[in-house]
Structures are given as structure tokens and as C-alpha cells.
Amino acid sequence: MQTHDAGCLDEQVIAHICEQLTITGYCVVQDFLPQLVINALYLEACSDQRLNFKQAAIGREQLQQVNTNVRSDSIAWITGQSESQGLFLKLMENLRIEINRRLFLGLFDYESHYAHYGPGDFYKRHVDAFKGSSNRLLSSVVYLNADWTEADQGELLMFHDEEVSPFLIVEPIFNQCVIFLSEQFPHEVRAAKRDRYSIAGWFRTNNSIGGQIDPPR
Ligand code: OGA
Ligand code: MN
């Protein structure tokens, strides 16, 4: 267990993430967030009525559509509306700055949402960003599931290119985080046997041209 306070991420964790991103393009971290923060986020995620989860859509802006053949989870955007969301965003902002400082990735901002997969919900194989057409550069997923066991399934499967077997299987266990290059890795969420909560997020670059702000706010 980590002993650091709620205001910052562990220095060694940040160094480890940056090193792994450079070597392999992805990183899995256990005990990612300070206890106080992860506990508060967990409580908020489980209290559905406060967050107003909505059926997730795919695609960007006007092209967004709900397609339950691709994904059947529900999401609630993280806006900073609660103290726990505020703490989370502050920590991810800290991580964004540290990654930029060490890897010069030019990450511009971070967007994130809670995701709730009910039993049987899934997200078929996809990439979070298509090469050159998006400003999502780094994906992150933090898991909020206490007492998860292998029998609960709901794993995140990560693939290299067109390969059929995953090179990495991530169990959605409490306070585990996976971070990866958004364009690099097709991935899928296997259906789980019980409710599965997470926070998915993306560090974005700034693609603004000629006064048109992109990413849109
Ligand atoms: C996503 C996603 C993975 C997970 O939301 O884009 O791939 O394990 N989530 O929840
Ligand atoms: Mn994804």
C-alpha cells in the first residue's frame, strides 16, 4: 500500500510509466491512485443515480452513434463536479505534465468518463484512435472493482495489430491502471459476470488549426 498523500502520484510510479511507454508503448500499474481518492471514486461510481450513466456511443462529435453491437456499456463523463472527480483530474493533470516533461509528447489535455458494464456487457475489439485522424494519444483505464476474481471475467485483452491472441490480459482489479498509446493497440473488453466499473480517459494533443479549436471543449 502507498503512503503518499492524495495530492500527488508516486514519483516512482510516474518514472515507471514513462519508462514502459518508451520501451513497449504500454504500462500496467497496481495501486495507482492514493487510497483516499480511489475509495471516493469507487463509492461515486457505484451510486448510479448521482452520476446519470448513459448508453455509450462510438465515433466523434456529430458522427457519434449508439451501436450496441460494438459496445454495450454506459458512461458518465468526469467533469470535476464532485470532490473525488476534482482530485482525480488534478492527479491526471500532474501525470500529464510529468509525461510531457520526460517524454516531450506535447499532451494538451485529458478527458475521461466512468464506465459501467453490467453483467454480459462488452466492448468489441477496437482502437481508441485511428492513425493521424484523432488527437487521442495516450489511453488510460483505472479499475474500480473490489474483490474481483478470475471467475468474474471482464478482462481487457490487448493485441498487436491483426493478431488473434492477446499479448496482454488485464484483470479489472481495484486501483489497477493500464496506460497505452491510443493508436498502437487494438483491445477489447470481455463480458463480465458481475458489474464492472472503470474510468477510461485519454490524453490528447492540440490539433487546432486556423482558430478552430480542436479538441473541442
Ligand atoms: C474504452 C476501453 C477498456 C476497459 O473505454 O475505450 O477500451 O478495460 N476500455 O474498460
Ligand atoms: Mn478502448
Side-chain angles (χ1 to χ4, degrees):
M1 198 186 294
Q2 289 170 19
T3 52
H4 58 82
D5 72 272
C8 56
L9 290 171
D10 192 90
E11 179 76 18
Q12 278 167 317
V13 167
I14 294 174
H16 177 65
I17 290 169
C18 291
E19 195 184 343
Q20 286 306 115
L21 285 177
T22 310
I23 301 170
T24 63
Y26 71 91
C27 184
V28 180
V29 183
Q30 280 141 29
D31 286 325
F32 177 62
L33 296 173
Q35 290 299 316
L36 191 129
V37 180
I38 190 80
N39 288 336
L41 292 168
Y42 167 71
L43 288 176
E44 187 173 66
C46 298
S47 65
D48 270 25
Q49 61 281 47
R50 236 193 307 160
L51 285 174
N52 191 17
F53 279 89
K54 294 208 166 60
Q55 184 75 52
I58 52 174
R60 225 184 149 215
E61 295 175 72
Q62 290 86 350
L63 301 176
Q64 284 223 342
Q65 4 177 300
V66 169
N67 183 343
T68 49
N69 294 322
V70 176
R71 67 187 296 189
S72 57
D73 60 317
S74 300
I75 64 162
W77 287 95
I78 304 258
T79 58
Q81 63 182 290
S82 64
E83 194 189 346
S84 48
Q85 290 187 17
L87 289 169
F88 175 71
L89 291 176
K90 200 172 141 224
L91 291 167
M92 297 313 276
E93 173 65 6
N94 171 230
L95 180 59
R96 182 185 75 80
I97 289 164
E98 286 301 315
I99 291 175
N100 279 344
R101 197 165 67 76
R102 293 159 197 249
L103 302 184
F104 308 105
L105 285 183
L107 303 175
F108 174 70
D109 74 352
Y110 180 74
E111 60 177 1
S112 57
H113 62 59
Y114 281 112
H116 171 221
Y117 293 72
D121 282 339
F122 56 84
Y123 195 160
K124 296 248 178 82
R125 184 168 172 150
H126 67 281
V127 285
D128 288 344
F130 293 104
K131 287 201 170 75
S133 67
S134 165
N135 38 41
R136 287 180 169 180
L137 202 109
L138 263 190
S139 302
S140 64
V141 191
V142 183
Y143 298 105
L144 302 168
N145 306 295
D147 307 316
W148 197 266
T149 69
E150 224 180 302
D152 296 323
Q153 302 180 355
E155 301 91 345
L156 169 68
L157 310 180
M158 301 263 295
F159 301 92
H160 283 308
D161 304 314
E162 309 292 312
E163 286 178 14
V164 288
S165 308
F167 70 90
L168 180 71
I169 299 175
V170 183
E171 287 197 58
I173 60 181
F174 196 68
N175 210 6
Q176 180 148 265
C177 176
V178 56
I179 299 184
F180 56 92
L181 293 170
S182 302
E183 293 180 347
Q184 205 86 357
F185 301 104
H187 53 282
E188 92 176 54
V189 180
R190 270 187 89 195
K193 301 281 185 196
R194 52 174 265 207
D195 288 304
R196 176 194 193 272
Y197 293 94
S198 60
I199 297 176
W202 298 271
F203 292 100
R204 306 189 295 181
T205 53
N206 183 358
N207 293 353
S208 307
I209 311 167
Q212 170 120 17
I213 296 174
D214 185 23
R217 295 283 177 159

